[in-house]
Every structure is written in C-alpha cells, then in structure tokens.
Amino acid sequence: MSTVMQRRGFLAVLACTGGALSLGVTAQQRGRFAPSAYLRIEPDGRIVLQAPAPDMGQGVKTSLPMLVAEELEVGLDQVTVEQSTWDARMGRIQDAGGSSSVPKAWVPLRQAGATARWLLVSAAAQAWGLPREALRTKRGEVRHDASGRRASYASLAAAAALLPLPKDVPLKAPSEFRLIGRRQTQVDAAAMVRGAPLFCADRRPEGCLIGVVIKAPVRGARPLRGNWDELKAMPGMVDAWRLEGSDSPGGNMHREHHGDPQHGVALVGRSTWAVLKARRALQVQWSATRYDGHSSAGYEAEIRQRLEHPREIWRNDGDAPAALQAAATRIDVLYELPVLAHVTMETMSCLAEPLPDGRLRLRSPSQFPRLAVQAAQRQFGLQAEQIELEVPRLGGAFGRRWEVDFVLEACAMALRLKAPVLLFTPREDDIRHDYYRPFETHRIRAGLDAQGRLVAWDQDQWIQGFRTAATPKMEPRECPVGLIPNLRMRAQAIDSHLPDGAYRAPPSNLHAFFVESALNELAHAAGQDALTFRLQWLGEDCVLESGFDTARMKAVLRLAAEKAGWGRPLPKGQGLGLAAWFSHNGYVAQVVELAVSPAGAVTVSRVTAAVDVGPIVNPSGAEQQVQGSIIDALAGALYQQVTLKDGAVQQSNFHDHPLLRMHEVPRRIDVHFIEGARRPTGLGEPAYPPLAPALTAALFAATGRRIRSLPLTRQELSWR
C-alpha cells in the first residue's frame, strides 16, 4: 500500500480527528496515526493515550486511558499517558465533577480504542492478503497464528491512517476484558513520590510574576481607599491596584456563571516573599454592606424563630399531617449541619501568560476546563481559539475548582501587565473566600403504625440562600420520596452572603445525615434493629422515579452488615452504627465501629463499606476513592465548621478547620464492591454521605445519646 496521502486517505484522517484540518495533515506528514483525539501512535512507535478529564486525586488519569487501552489491546506499561489540554472536540468528557468522568467516557473512549484496533487489523489484513477474521491482537501487535506472522502497531500505523473510518465497531464483552477490572498503579504515582513538577505552580515561564488578590473580610465590600500606591515602591513589587469584581447574585448551584471574582486589591511582585510582605503592609478601607452584622449565631436564632412559619411546599404526597396524627408512634427531631470549606491541599492557583500573537495561555487546575475558557472569553472579549489551556494535576478539588474566580483573577493581572502571572492563594484567604457547603437545618416529624411501618413523613428545611431569601425552585426526588405514602417536604431560605458551591456529593452530603439519622431513630422507636427496619421499609424490589433501585440498596445494606459483623455484642462504651445512601447513581452502605472513653474521647476503629456503582475499572483507584471519601467525611463530622461573626468568616487554617491526622484515621477501612453487567456510575462522591449518620448511630449505641448537630466538637460526650 502506498504511504502517499491520497484524497480518500486524507478525508479518512480528517474524519478521525473530528474535522481538525491541521491535526489531520500534520499527523500524516509526521508519520503519526491519530484516529481520534484520545490516542496516537508516534513515528518512533510510542503509543500515546490522552487522559481527557482532570485528575484531582480520583484517579481518572489512569482509569480513563485504561478504557482506550482495553479495546486497543495494549497494557498501560506499553503506553505514555498525557493529560489532555483543553480540546473542544472532547466536549463534556473533559469535565470532572458529579462523579461523571467514567460514566461519560465508558463508551466513547472504548470506541476510540476499538476503532483504532479495527484500522490496524485492517491494515495488516490488506498487507498480508488475509481476511480480518483470521487475525487477532495482543500486546500492541497484530498476529496471524496459522502462519506465525506478527506486526507491531507502529509498523502498521502509516497504512492504517489511510483507511476509511469504520462505523459501529463492536466493543468487547466484559468476559473478554484483560485490563478493566484489574488493579493498576496510578500512572503519576512514581512522579509524585519523587516530587516531579505536576502541579500548577511547579513550572513557571521566564519572567513569571507572582500575584495575589486581597478580598474584604465581608463578601461584597469594595476597597474604597488604601495605600496600594505605596506598596508599588516596596522591593520586589511590580504593581498594586483595585481589582473590580462582580456583583452578580446567586451561588454555584443556582446561576449560569461559576465563581465570578470578588472586588479586591491585586498585588503583583517578582517573588512570593515580596508579595506576602506587601500583603502584610496593605492598609485598606472597605465599604459597608448590609451583611456586616451577620453571624452564625444570628442565623441559628432566625431559624428558631421561624420554626412554625409557613414554608414553600416542595413535595406533597398523600396527607402527611393527618397520617402523623393517626400514627401509633411519632418522632419530632431537629437536625443541623454547619457551613464547610473545601480546604483542598493545593490552594487556588492559575498561571496566565499573554502571548505575542494575542493569544492567552493558561495553566489552570480547573475541574471544568470549558467553563474556564468560556469565562475568559466572556470577561475579556477573547475568542475560544485565542485561549490555550493546559490542565495540570489538581491537588484536590471536591467541587471548589468548578468555580473560575481564580482563573479570571490571574487573567486580569496578566493582561494588565502584559506578562505571565502566577496567581496563588494563601491558605487563610482560601478558607475565608470559598464557595462553601451551605448550612441547613431540618425538622423531621415522622410516624409509625402499630406494626412499626413508616407511614408518615413531614420534613421542613431551612437552607442557606446567597444574597436572597427566595427559596430555590426545586422538587426533591431523593430518598425517602416514593417510599412513604404520606410525605410532605417544605423549605425556607435564610438570607446570607456566603456563596454556596458544589461540595463533595451535593446535596446528599447534607440530606443523608438528616434522613438516615431519622431512620435510625425510627428503628429504635419501633424496637427494631436498624438493618431489619430498613429492609422492611424498602419493601418489594422496585425502581423509583429518582432511579433509586430498592434491590440494589438492600444488597449493599446486607453486605456491609455481614462484613462488619452487625449485631454482635460489644463492651460498654463501644458501638456499631449503620447508614446507607443513594448518591450520583451509586449505592453505598457503611457500618462504623467506634469506642468512646469515659471522658468522651471518640476513637473510630473500623469503617466497613459496601458499594454498588456497577463495573469497577481500576479496583485500586476505586478503593482509594471510597477510603478517601470516608476520611474526608469523618474529618467534617468530627471537627469542621465555618462560622461567621460581624459578617466575616472566623476560620483561617487547619488549626480551626482541621483535617484528620494520621493517628485519627480508622485502623481499618474495608471496602466491598458489588459489580453487575450494567454500565458504571461514578465513585468520587457516593461514599461520602453515609459516614456521618453511621457515626452518630454508633455513638448512640455506645453512649445512649443522640447527636443531631455536627461537628462533634460542639458536643460533650461522656458515659459512666
């Protein structure tokens, strides 16, 4: 076969690259085989796979290339994995949020690998004069067993690039998988151990400046006057000025624009130390706002005053008030959860570099690269083709890097100074100017009939509203909707200026605590074991309007209980607690085992999790995701809260918004998966919600005391 580019071959390569003319031509001219945006074979024989979604610790830089490699019939040890730059051809597969990376990529990335393998086999079949069906692939080779012929993918790449793109290439059956479902070490593991430059701030172009933005203690205030002109003259400083932000209302979950920047003072210097010294010397007068007197204590008092006020009805099945009145056993309980900050290990950062040709190069640890590009277009009048965005490894995200405020701040500095600027965020600013998990208070009144069946549920919610007391328009579909004949849910917003954002497993990270805690209290009131009560309540196997499958939930409950030794007697001061939740299409049940000392010290010794998210791509990464979620949720339940005083966030660092220390991590976190033939769902979030209610249930078993508000630092625990 001729290796000269013919019209037919040119159009095939063009189609394979999604219509990217320059990529199609240069790929062939350089001897590359690039049938899709997700893989290429270089002239030197290297097989390069793209990791399209940002890796923030969830392991997708390993698991997503595994999907391509599986169908391509190569091992991860045979390929080079690259993190994709922003590429419009990949669409929303480049988004990392909502536990959606693997579900979105499950078919397209496997199709990319299968299509490439089909082309390579076809090239070998043509060269050898054999039918495709007589050939097989293994470890990057096409083989003909009858004759012993073998050809590497590299030797076939040029010919394969000339073939027309096939349609509807069949994918492997799960029984044929050789890579998916087997443990793989994270592709960046060795690089992280040796401190390789993987993160945003690790590499800087020549002449790179350092920038930081100082924001008002009370969100929404503007800098009126200050000494920024004096700061420009300090050693190492380049510029200081008032940075105009946005007054647009709405939190992350309720607006089109994600994380518009605040008003503030921009400081740019030649070194981090110079900027930090200027930051300490800054004197600024901020404008007043109507939130200057707001406080967490004030919000709590307002909620107490509104307990009997009318609320907007979100859901109303049957007649909950009448069913409650007729119930044989009733509970009436109030649960509270505080504001939480994300406290990612790597604080917000972004490198913005204006290029001589008018383009803007960004290195941005963003969960949603397309949102960062769209925001830069909107804010600075750029076209998409003028923006080049490299995605480094993210040092944690948990929803915080859905926002684009830090990207726009870096762009504003770089475009003003016409020089590369690396924005960094001191930890204190990162905590005090987050997009937080909101506070919520729920009152649940529920009733059982004489047989201990749950027949009535009346749930009132007081939720944080950002700069508005208008209740968000939403219809809750989460559990227990569809499982109780008489159910009413009502909501009322509390006006606040704290912006809400996506926080690992929104809104399940809140609702699981309220609902599962109430179910545990109802089980006790019915004189039933928590597992038995739930299995009876879930009833016959069915699928609800939310997609909730009662059979799958019962399966994880039974598995977690079995593996944890549920029901075994424990010494005084020790307890087991059970909870489960359906979040982001995943089913997770957890059993917490703990001990409480007579003085009230809590030690969580073991957490057992049963998880059903469908097929597991990389068991090692999947286990780590569940274990990380449990550790994250345990830190929040034990210690974390963000409080306001005089409109300002009080917490500033790990001393008052702590993470779990190594000695506080449970000695055992056992993870058990239930896999099925269905498509996979995500895993970064579903394991977070059940931990807190399982923890408080275990505390009740150990001490006899109900915990209805977190963190535990607000409680005094003891028993004798």
Side-chain angles (χ1 to χ4, degrees), residues 479-497:
C479 180
V481 171
L483 289 170
I484 303 174
N486 303 287
L487 177 144
R488 182 174 67 174
M489 289 185 172
R490 300 181 295 176
Q492 188 174 136
I494 304 298
D495 182 25
S496 165
H497 65 304

Side-chain angles (χ1 to χ4, degrees), residues 324-630:
L324 268 176
Q325 186 67 29
T329 304
R330 291 185 292 272
I331 66 167
D332 184 346
V333 290
L334 198 69
Y335 300 106
E336 299 172 296
L337 285 178
V339 174
L340 293 183
H342 292 85
V343 289
T344 58
M345 281 290 94
E346 175 197 22
T347 61
M348 300 306 104
S349 61
C350 180
L351 174 68
E353 181 181 8
L355 301 177
D357 60 4
R359 292 184 300 124
L360 181 63
R361 177 183 295 154
L362 300 176
R363 186 185 306 135
S364 175
S366 297
Q367 289 181 242
F368 292 70
R370 65 181 175 86
L371 294 182
V373 171
Q374 291 169 6
Q377 288 179 255
R378 181 182 72 245
Q379 190 85 354
F380 304 106
L382 299 171
Q383 300 299 312
E385 57 269 20
Q386 292 179 280
I387 302 172
E388 174 186 322
L389 193 151
E390 173 192 346
V391 182
R393 191 173 183 89
L394 282 59
F398 318 117
R400 175 61 178 96
R401 288 185 164 91
W402 184 342
E403 314 295 345
V404 297
D405 53 318
F406 57 96
V407 179
L408 297 180
E409 290 166 356
C411 292
M413 294 174 173
L415 292 172
R416 172 185 170 103
L417 298 174
K418 298 180 174 57
V421 175
L422 173 65
L423 171 87
F424 86 99
T425 308
R427 176 64 65 189
E428 293 80 2
D429 294 349
D430 189 65
I431 289 179
R432 287 174 174 164
H433 301 286
D434 199 350
Y435 287 77
Y436 303 92
R437 186 191 80 171
F439 63 78
E440 289 194 14
T441 297
H442 286 217
R443 182 182 185 182
I444 296 176
R445 287 167 282 194
L448 306 170
D449 65 13
Q451 288 73 44
R453 294 182 299 236
L454 182 50
V455 293
W457 187 279
D458 197 2
Q459 183 170 348
D460 290 330
Q461 309 172 35
W462 291 267
I463 58 181
Q464 173 184 317
F466 179 41
R467 296 184 179 178
T468 174
T471 308
K473 302 297 181 184
M474 59 184 292
E475 181 182 1
R477 297 181 181 272
E478 288 189 324
C479 180
V481 171
L483 289 170
I484 303 174
N486 303 287
L487 177 144
R488 182 174 67 174
M489 289 185 172
R490 300 181 295 176
Q492 188 174 136
I494 304 298
D495 182 25
S496 165
H497 65 304
L498 281 180
D500 63 310
Y503 186 100
R504 198 170 197 167
S508 297
N509 57 59
L510 293 152
H511 294 178
F513 178 71
F514 306 132
V515 173
E516 287 291 300
S517 295
L519 289 175
N520 280 322
E521 297 207 38
L522 285 164
H524 182 72
Q528 295 185 33
D529 166 85
L531 174 64
T532 304
F533 180 82
R534 280 177 172 80
L535 294 176
Q536 180 225 52
W537 169 61
L538 290 168
E540 298 295 326
D541 295 351
C542 65
V543 179
L544 305 180
E545 62 177 302
S546 61
F548 179 93
D549 187 326
T550 59
R552 295 176 72 182
M553 181 57 81
K554 286 185 286 187
V556 295
L557 280 164
R558 289 189 178 107
L559 182 59
E562 174 196 342
K563 297 297 184 180
W566 180 258
R568 58 190 161 91
L570 293 172
K572 188 176 181 181
Q574 297 183 28
L576 293 170
L578 173 70
W581 199 251
F582 171 60
S583 170
H584 294 74
N585 296 310
Y587 300 79
V588 181
Q590 292 174 7
V591 176
V592 169
E593 182 173 346
L594 56 73
V596 181
S597 74
V602 178
T603 301
V604 178
S605 58
R606 182 185 179 191
V607 179
T608 304
V611 180
D612 180 357
V613 291
I616 300 298
V617 177
N618 180 6
S620 293
E623 281 182 359
Q624 291 163 7
Q625 278 295 281
V626 176
Q627 291 166 343
S629 293
I630 288 169

Side-chain angles (χ1 to χ4, degrees), residues 234-257:
M234 292 181 64
M237 285 297 293
V238 173
D239 202 355
W241 71 97
R242 278 189 290 202
L243 187 66
E244 289 297 317
S246 171
D247 291 319
S248 64
N252 170 292
M253 310 305 291
H254 311 298
R255 71 179 190 281
E256 177 184 356
H257 298 162

